[in-house]
Amino acid sequence: MNNKKLYFGASKGKSLISKFIKWFQWGDPHTHTFYIPESQINLNNPKVIEAWHKPMLKGGAVRNGLFFDTHSPETPFDILYLEVTEEQYINFEAFMNSKLGFKYDFLGFAGFATRSKVTEQSDKYFCSELVFAGLISVGIEIFKNTVPQEVSPAMFIKSPMLIEYKGLPNVRSKRTVWTR
């Protein structure tokens, strides 16, 4: 029985790296994905777990913190969720927390952009790779025959298993979008 929800955000960044990601995603504006723990749903500034490339000079990292601590205040994002069992929820949270501090996977990101698997590093993650790896770790396949480093932010949000989080007061498009 599904009685818990895993919440995910998909932001529409405006940085140079976001423009690069958008270009490789054939124009889809969702350039970053992240996890929002259920207890941390604050629609103005959610607490998130994400693989984030900043600070670049330190190699970026998987971090736990407020979304707008590292993102521009005008960055819009959509919220989606997936219904899961209590056990899957607990194990997903444990997986995500176990990855805190892991470095950002710049080579994996390059592999995603060039569609090459030779750059995969098991101790580093880029954003959608981290979230997808967490789902696989608890037995949830939102895409068949797909490995985490193949999943872009645009691909992630297109899974038919994800449900749009409705009822938010700041609707700006077909999808629910939040800005600070």
Side-chain angles (χ1 to χ4, degrees), residues 6-97:
L6 294 173
Y7 292 91
F8 305 100
S11 64
K12 299 174 183 177
K14 298 170 184 6
S15 70
L16 183 61
I17 287 182
S18 293
K19 289 176 184 174
F20 179 74
I21 295 168
K22 183 178 176 179
W23 185 77
F24 274 98
Q25 296 183 143
W26 298 280
D28 189 292
H30 297 92
T31 57
H32 180 61
T33 56
F34 49 94
Y35 170 61
I36 307 169
E38 187 174 39
S39 64
Q40 301 300 321
I41 294 284
N42 170 343
L43 302 176
N44 291 319
N45 193 11
K47 189 170 184 184
V48 301
I49 298 177
E50 64 183 341
W52 188 238
H53 63 277
K54 292 182 180 179
M56 262 193 234
L57 295 178
K58 293 184 179 179
V62 176
R63 64 176 284 277
N64 184 351
L66 295 174
F67 180 77
F68 289 113
D69 283 354
T70 55
H71 299 269
S72 300
E74 64 277 352
T75 303
F77 58 89
D78 297 341
I79 298 176
L80 304 111
Y81 68 92
L82 180 65
E83 294 179 345
V84 298
T85 66
E86 179 81 24
E87 181 181 7
Q88 288 170 320
Y89 179 85
I90 290 168
N91 291 335
F92 184 85
E93 285 262 319
F95 174 89
M96 295 299 282
N97 283 310

